[in-house]
Amino acid sequence: IYDSNKYNFMKQVKDGTIGEEVYKCFRKRIGEVSPSEKLAWRNSLRNMYSVLNNKLIPDDVGVFIEYRLPYQNRRIDFIVSGKNLDDSEHAVIVELKQWTEAKAIEHKHLVKTFVGHADREVSHPSYQAWSYAATLNEYNQVVQEDNIELHPCAFLHNYVVIDEEDPIVDANLFEEINQAPIFTRDDTKKLSDSVASF
């Protein structure tokens, strides 16, 4: 939906216009969006500004917001793409969540959290990010032909981990965490360094 670079994204966040920019792109390509989704964009994208505010991440890296997956209605929240020093191509897939807590349930890949004004069973964010990468590897011609290396992760920028048994970070419960790591409120610098390392 939104296709730009780090420089423009950072400027629009600083100017307070990023939510409106994404909304205009969304309305043009897909249609109307709920007020809650507009608010989520503003909140989450400010946090991604903090992640990208790193001199080691060049201004010309690609920034994609609400990237629609092929053959599906699902969208990737945020992608950062660019070339490494060895000229290899990389893309970091970021699943953004505003959650503050989650509970494990017995069904594989699911957690229970408060979304849409109620407690609901939803996919674990690592599973979501991992599945997005798997779909792109399977169906996206550019990813295949250009050998783009995908790095899925989830950023729960309001979530505070109490202990290692918290279901959101328990790799014993959700093995996808090993392939799509979770970053929470206190991990902004860690995520920033991770993006810069690719």
Side-chain angles (χ1 to χ4, degrees), residues 56-116:
L56 297 177
I57 302 172
D59 283 344
D60 62 349
V61 297
V63 170
F64 307 93
I65 299 169
E66 298 292 345
Y67 179 89
R68 195 177 209 165
L69 287 164
Y71 311 113
Q72 300 181 21
N73 284 329
R74 297 188 303 161
R75 299 186 307 271
I76 299 172
D77 292 330
F78 203 96
I79 299 175
V80 183
S81 70
K83 289 189 176 184
N84 204 335
L85 294 174
D86 65 2
D87 213 34
S88 60
E89 297 196 46
H90 296 260
V92 180
I93 293 170
V94 185
E95 175 63 21
L96 293 164
K97 298 291 185 196
Q98 298 191 82
W99 303 354
T100 55
E101 62 178 19
K103 297 173 186 158
I105 58 175
E106 291 187 15
H107 191 287
K108 192 176 182 186
H109 307 313
L110 297 180
V111 291
K112 185 178 273 190
T113 192
F114 189 80
V115 291

XYZ file of all heavy atoms in Angstrom, residues 56-116:
502
model
N 23.326 3.373 11.053
C 23.794 2.214 10.295
C 22.762 1.711 9.293
O 23.064 0.849 8.472
C 24.180 1.085 11.259
C 25.350 1.396 12.203
C 25.586 0.238 13.162
C 26.618 1.708 11.405
N 21.540 2.230 9.379
C 20.495 1.881 8.406
C 20.427 3.022 7.393
O 20.025 4.131 7.728
C 19.128 1.681 9.099
C 19.229 0.583 10.167
C 18.055 1.326 8.065
C 17.990 0.450 11.029
N 20.828 2.791 6.146
C 20.903 3.879 5.155
C 19.543 4.508 4.851
O 18.505 3.851 4.964
C 21.466 3.184 3.903
C 22.068 1.909 4.387
C 21.301 1.509 5.607
N 19.580 5.773 4.442
C 18.356 6.515 4.129
C 17.615 5.970 2.910
O 16.427 6.229 2.738
C 18.664 7.997 3.879
C 18.893 8.756 5.178
O 18.529 8.240 6.250
O 19.441 9.874 5.109
N 18.329 5.231 2.046
C 17.687 4.784 0.809
C 17.127 3.363 0.883
O 16.677 2.827 -0.130
C 18.643 4.908 -0.376
C 19.888 4.033 -0.226
O 20.123 3.484 0.883
O 20.634 3.895 -1.218
N 17.150 2.732 2.078
C 16.532 1.407 2.167
C 15.037 1.549 1.893
O 14.420 2.581 2.194
C 16.765 0.712 3.534
C 18.237 0.445 3.777
C 16.147 1.486 4.680
N 14.449 0.512 1.317
C 13.022 0.545 1.015
C 12.181 0.376 2.266
O 12.548 -0.371 3.176
N 11.061 1.087 2.310
C 10.088 0.937 3.390
C 8.735 0.662 2.745
O 8.257 1.440 1.912
C 10.013 2.199 4.277
C 8.825 2.128 5.232
C 11.304 2.381 5.062
N 8.132 -0.461 3.119
C 6.831 -0.863 2.587
C 5.888 -1.087 3.758
O 6.240 -1.785 4.716
C 6.954 -2.143 1.757
C 8.008 -2.042 0.675
C 9.304 -2.468 0.918
C 7.699 -1.503 -0.562
C 10.285 -2.355 -0.062
C 8.673 -1.385 -1.543
C 9.959 -1.816 -1.295
N 4.702 -0.511 3.677
C 3.706 -0.635 4.743
C 2.439 -1.241 4.148
O 2.003 -0.842 3.059
C 3.414 0.742 5.372
C 4.696 1.325 5.988
C 2.315 0.636 6.435
C 4.591 2.778 6.402
N 1.872 -2.213 4.863
C 0.654 -2.912 4.415
C 0.875 -3.568 3.049
O 0.111 -3.391 2.106
C -0.547 -1.957 4.373
C -0.918 -1.357 5.713
C -1.486 -2.373 6.707
O -1.860 -3.498 6.296
O -1.542 -2.057 7.917
N 1.937 -4.359 2.969
C 2.277 -5.058 1.728
C 1.345 -6.261 1.560
O 1.310 -7.147 2.408
C 3.738 -5.513 1.760
C 4.164 -6.274 0.528
C 4.676 -5.599 -0.571
C 4.040 -7.658 0.466
C 5.063 -6.287 -1.712
C 4.423 -8.351 -0.668
C 4.926 -7.670 -1.750
O 5.300 -8.355 -2.877
N 0.594 -6.266 0.457
C -0.393 -7.329 0.235
C 0.288 -8.589 -0.284
O 1.031 -8.545 -1.270
C -1.440 -6.842 -0.765
C -2.677 -7.687 -0.793
C -3.668 -7.079 -1.753
N -5.007 -7.398 -1.333
C -6.067 -6.776 -1.798
N -5.938 -5.792 -2.648
N -7.258 -7.131 -1.403
N 0.013 -9.705 0.385
C 0.606 -10.979 -0.021
C -0.056 -11.510 -1.295
O -1.258 -11.315 -1.494
C 0.450 -12.015 1.094
C 1.361 -11.796 2.298
C 0.873 -12.597 3.490
C 2.788 -12.173 1.968
N 0.712 -12.190 -2.140
C 0.124 -12.727 -3.369
C -0.937 -13.781 -3.077
O -0.769 -14.604 -2.175
C 1.323 -13.345 -4.106
C 2.442 -13.403 -3.129
C 2.139 -12.445 -2.028
N -2.040 -13.714 -3.825
C -3.136 -14.681 -3.761
C -3.859 -14.709 -2.415
O -4.553 -15.665 -2.105
C -2.643 -16.102 -4.101
C -1.817 -16.156 -5.352
C -0.465 -16.462 -5.298
C -2.382 -15.875 -6.597
C 0.307 -16.492 -6.461
C -1.617 -15.903 -7.753
C -0.282 -16.214 -7.673
O 0.471 -16.243 -8.821
N -3.673 -13.682 -1.590
C -4.303 -13.657 -0.275
C -4.767 -12.246 0.053
O -4.330 -11.279 -0.564
C -3.313 -14.113 0.804
C -2.790 -15.514 0.613
C -1.845 -15.908 1.727
O -1.854 -15.334 2.797
N -1.024 -16.898 1.470
N -5.644 -12.155 1.043
C -6.068 -10.838 1.526
C -5.215 -10.364 2.695
O -5.420 -9.275 3.202
C -7.540 -10.871 1.951
C -8.461 -10.858 0.742
O -8.120 -10.278 -0.282
N -9.595 -11.504 0.852
N -4.266 -11.180 3.130
C -3.420 -10.792 4.266
C -2.378 -9.770 3.820
O -1.933 -9.774 2.678
C -2.731 -12.022 4.855
C -3.707 -13.030 5.419
C -3.010 -14.154 6.162
N -2.040 -14.851 5.340
C -1.062 -15.609 5.808
N -0.913 -15.763 7.113
N -0.222 -16.218 5.008
N -1.997 -8.901 4.776
C -1.014 -7.862 4.483
C 0.088 -7.873 5.541
O -0.178 -8.033 6.728
C -1.691 -6.486 4.445
C -2.765 -6.348 3.392
C -3.301 -4.942 3.294
N -3.746 -4.387 4.551
C -4.968 -4.501 5.056
N -5.892 -5.187 4.393
N -5.287 -3.942 6.203
N 1.319 -7.651 5.077
C 2.458 -7.528 5.985
C 2.495 -6.088 6.484
O 2.458 -5.152 5.693
C 3.774 -7.888 5.269
C 3.726 -9.348 4.789
C 4.966 -7.661 6.188
C 4.898 -9.733 3.906
N 2.612 -5.909 7.794
C 2.568 -4.568 8.380
C 3.705 -3.677 7.889
O 3.473 -2.532 7.504
C 2.629 -4.651 9.914
C 1.378 -5.264 10.507
O 0.294 -5.114 9.917
O 1.484 -5.885 11.591
N 4.924 -4.206 7.916
C 6.089 -3.334 7.652
C 7.222 -4.175 7.082
O 7.516 -5.255 7.592
C 6.534 -2.694 8.968
C 7.309 -1.418 8.819
C 6.680 -0.188 8.902
C 8.682 -1.433 8.605
C 7.381 1.006 8.788
C 9.399 -0.252 8.475
C 8.745 0.970 8.572
N 7.850 -3.664 6.030
C 9.028 -4.327 5.449
C 10.123 -3.276 5.255
O 9.858 -2.168 4.785
C 8.716 -4.971 4.083
C 7.626 -6.040 4.216
C 9.980 -5.585 3.477
C 7.187 -6.634 2.877
N 11.345 -3.643 5.618
C 12.532 -2.829 5.323
C 13.388 -3.657 4.371
O 13.697 -4.815 4.668
C 13.347 -2.509 6.597
C 14.525 -1.611 6.263
C 12.478 -1.876 7.666
N 13.763 -3.083 3.229
C 14.537 -3.866 2.262
C 15.749 -3.092 1.768
O 15.739 -1.865 1.714
C 13.651 -4.249 1.066
O 13.359 -3.114 0.295
N 16.790 -3.830 1.417
C 17.986 -3.192 0.900
C 19.078 -4.209 0.628
O 18.880 -5.411 0.816
N 20.239 -3.695 0.218
C 21.387 -4.558 -0.076
C 22.409 -4.460 1.036
O 22.624 -3.388 1.611
C 22.030 -4.156 -1.399
C 21.190 -4.505 -2.602
C 21.970 -4.295 -3.888
C 21.138 -4.754 -5.070
N 21.888 -4.656 -6.325
N 23.056 -5.589 1.289
C 24.115 -5.654 2.288
C 25.431 -5.207 1.645
O 25.501 -4.952 0.446
C 24.228 -7.092 2.808
C 24.841 -7.157 4.192
O 25.582 -6.272 4.577
N 24.534 -8.207 4.918
N 26.489 -5.134 2.452
C 27.806 -4.736 1.933
C 28.323 -5.701 0.876
O 29.099 -5.318 0.002
C 28.811 -4.637 3.087
C 28.532 -3.526 4.108
C 29.511 -3.625 5.264
C 28.606 -2.160 3.448
N 27.887 -6.960 0.945
C 28.326 -7.936 -0.056
C 27.392 -7.959 -1.271
O 27.452 -8.859 -2.094
C 28.447 -9.330 0.561
C 27.106 -9.878 1.030
O 26.063 -9.200 0.837
O 27.078 -10.983 1.605
N 26.486 -6.965 -1.352
C 25.563 -6.795 -2.474
C 24.419 -7.805 -2.480
O 23.669 -7.897 -3.451
C 26.297 -6.837 -3.819
C 25.641 -5.924 -4.843
O 25.123 -4.864 -4.442
O 25.611 -6.291 -6.032
N 24.269 -8.584 -1.393
C 23.133 -9.497 -1.302
C 21.896 -8.725 -0.854
O 21.995 -7.740 -0.125
C 23.440 -10.646 -0.335
O 23.719 -10.142 0.960
N 20.731 -9.173 -1.328
C 19.479 -8.468 -1.035
C 18.774 -9.097 0.165
O 18.708 -10.321 0.290
C 18.579 -8.481 -2.267
C 19.211 -7.743 -3.435
C 18.205 -7.414 -4.515
O 17.116 -6.938 -4.194
O 18.542 -7.645 -5.682
N 18.249 -8.216 1.017
C 17.593 -8.656 2.247
C 16.303 -7.875 2.451
O 16.179 -6.730 2.013
C 18.513 -8.419 3.460
C 19.766 -9.229 3.419
N 19.928 -10.390 4.123
C 20.930 -9.055 2.722
C 21.121 -10.890 3.891
N 21.755 -10.093 3.034
N 15.359 -8.503 3.144
C 14.121 -7.817 3.532
C 13.738 -8.278 4.936
O 13.689 -9.482 5.214
C 12.997 -8.121 2.549
N 13.515 -7.315 5.824
C 13.075 -7.607 7.191
C 11.562 -7.420 7.236
O 11.051 -6.334 6.930
C 13.754 -6.679 8.219
C 13.279 -7.003 9.626
C 15.273 -6.802 8.127
N 10.861 -8.493 7.565
C 9.399 -8.483 7.675
C 9.046 -8.260 9.135
O 9.477 -9.027 10.006
C 8.820 -9.829 7.189
C 9.050 -9.983 5.692
C 7.347 -9.958 7.546
C 8.740 -11.365 5.162
N 8.265 -7.219 9.428
C 7.930 -6.894 10.819
C 6.417 -6.970 11.007
O 5.667 -6.212 10.371
C 8.428 -5.489 11.217
C 8.158 -5.238 12.706
C 9.905 -5.307 10.889
N 5.980 -7.884 11.854
C 4.575 -7.949 12.265
C 4.436 -7.059 13.496
O 5.069 -7.295 14.523
C 4.182 -9.398 12.583
C 2.785 -9.563 13.124
C 1.691 -9.137 12.152
O 1.934 -9.078 10.929
O 0.579 -8.859 12.635
N 3.618 -6.017 13.384
C 3.451 -5.040 14.470
C 2.200 -5.348 15.280
O 1.133 -5.603 14.710
C 3.349 -3.627 13.894
C 4.603 -3.084 13.218
C 4.278 -1.873 12.363
C 5.653 -2.738 14.261
N 2.343 -5.307 16.593
C 1.199 -5.512 17.489
C 1.228 -4.460 18.591
O 2.294 -4.115 19.100
C 1.247 -6.894 18.146
C 1.168 -8.069 17.189
C -0.191 -8.181 16.552
C -0.283 -9.444 15.693
N -1.424 -9.410 14.781
N 0.042 -4.018 18.985
C -0.078 -3.069 20.087
C -0.441 -3.762 21.400
O -0.782 -3.116 22.373
C -1.140 -2.012 19.751
C -0.779 -1.192 18.540
C -1.683 0.000 18.396
O -1.482 1.028 19.042
N -2.699 -0.140 17.560
N -0.356 -5.068 21.434
C -0.771 -5.844 22.607
C 0.021 -5.460 23.858
O 1.179 -5.046 23.784
C -0.543 -7.333 22.377
C -1.230 -7.924 21.188
C -2.133 -7.314 20.346
C -1.057 -9.246 20.684
N -2.516 -8.181 19.364
C -1.893 -9.369 19.537
C -0.283 -10.339 21.089
C -1.967 -10.562 18.810
C -0.358 -11.512 20.364
C -1.194 -11.617 19.238
N -0.613 -5.668 25.005
C 0.065 -5.490 26.294
C 0.158 -6.801 27.065
O 0.920 -6.901 28.017
C -0.657 -4.444 27.167
O -2.022 -4.831 27.318
C -0.570 -3.058 26.531
N -0.621 -7.815 26.669
C -0.527 -9.128 27.324
C -1.071 -10.203 26.394
O -1.791 -9.908 25.435
C -1.307 -9.141 28.639
C -2.787 -8.906 28.472
C -3.537 -8.984 29.799
O -2.918 -8.859 30.870
O -4.761 -9.182 29.729
N -0.696 -11.443 26.694
C -1.190 -12.582 25.922
C -1.143 -13.825 26.797
O -0.323 -13.927 27.708
C -0.344 -12.786 24.668
N -2.048 -14.777 26.509
C -2.086 -16.038 27.242
C -1.952 -17.183 26.265
O -2.518 -17.144 25.163
C -3.423 -16.168 27.987
C -3.631 -15.098 29.037
C -5.026 -15.180 29.598
C -5.246 -13.995 30.533
N -6.647 -13.690 30.710
N -1.211 -18.192 26.668
C -1.065 -19.384 25.829
C -2.346 -20.202 25.897
O -3.028 -20.246 26.917
C 0.117 -20.223 26.308
N -2.688 -20.850 24.792
C -3.785 -21.807 24.778
C -3.268 -23.094 24.148
O -2.164 -23.121 23.603
C -5.014 -21.262 24.019
C -4.647 -20.906 22.575
C -5.592 -20.040 24.709
C -5.838 -20.479 21.745
N -4.054 -24.158 24.228
C -3.537 -25.464 23.813
C -3.389 -25.616 22.304
O -2.599 -26.407 21.841
C -4.436 -26.572 24.370
C -4.314 -26.689 25.880
C -5.065 -27.881 26.435
O -5.435 -28.767 25.639
O -5.272 -27.914 27.642
N -4.129 -24.848 21.535
C -4.052 -24.978 20.081
C -2.734 -24.401 19.570
O -2.343 -23.304 19.936
C -5.230 -24.252 19.430
C -5.365 -24.550 17.972
N -4.510 -24.049 17.022
C -6.257 -25.307 17.298
C -4.865 -24.476 15.828
N -5.920 -25.234 15.966
N -2.072 -25.152 18.711
C -0.783 -24.729 18.167
C -0.921 -23.415 17.394
O -1.894 -23.209 16.680
C -0.256 -25.819 17.229
C 1.184 -25.626 16.823
C 1.638 -26.794 15.970
C 3.104 -26.629 15.605
N 3.550 -27.661 14.676
N 0.041 -22.527 17.564
C 0.161 -21.249 16.855
C -0.777 -20.154 17.377
O -0.764 -19.060 16.840
C -0.078 -21.386 15.344
C 0.754 -22.430 14.673
N 2.105 -22.546 14.880
C 0.419 -23.413 13.805
C 2.576 -23.546 14.152
N 1.577 -24.085 13.511
N -1.605 -20.442 18.383
C -2.561 -19.439 18.838
C -2.260 -18.944 20.246
O -1.727 -19.680 21.078
C -3.992 -19.998 18.830
C -4.572 -20.403 17.472
C -5.987 -20.933 17.645
C -4.562 -19.253 16.487
N -2.609 -17.692 20.494
C -2.597 -17.111 21.835
C -3.920 -16.383 22.028
O -4.647 -16.119 21.067
C -1.421 -16.120 22.046
C -0.088 -16.842 22.060
C -1.438 -15.027 20.995
N -4.215 -16.072 23.273
C -5.418 -15.292 23.566
C -4.989 -13.911 24.036
O -4.130 -13.790 24.911
C -6.252 -15.969 24.653
C -7.584 -15.260 24.915
C -8.414 -15.988 25.960
C -9.238 -17.048 25.282
N -10.245 -17.640 26.182
N -5.578 -12.880 23.422
C -5.257 -11.511 23.804
C -6.467 -10.619 23.557
O -7.430 -11.036 22.905
C -4.023 -10.993 23.023
O -3.567 -9.770 23.602
C -4.341 -10.774 21.562
N -6.404 -9.396 24.074
C -7.518 -8.469 23.947
C -7.374 -7.665 22.653
O -6.489 -6.828 22.523
C -7.548 -7.512 25.148
C -8.786 -6.666 25.218
C -9.963 -7.182 25.723
C -8.776 -5.357 24.760
C -11.117 -6.418 25.798
C -9.913 -4.571 24.815
C -11.094 -5.102 25.332
N -8.217 -7.975 21.673
C -8.251 -7.233 20.404
C -9.709 -7.068 19.985
O -10.532 -7.922 20.279
C -7.457 -7.939 19.272
C -5.975 -7.915 19.521
C -7.943 -9.355 19.052
N -10.004 -5.971 19.304
C -11.368 -5.756 18.839
C -12.382 -5.732 19.963
O -13.474 -6.298 19.851
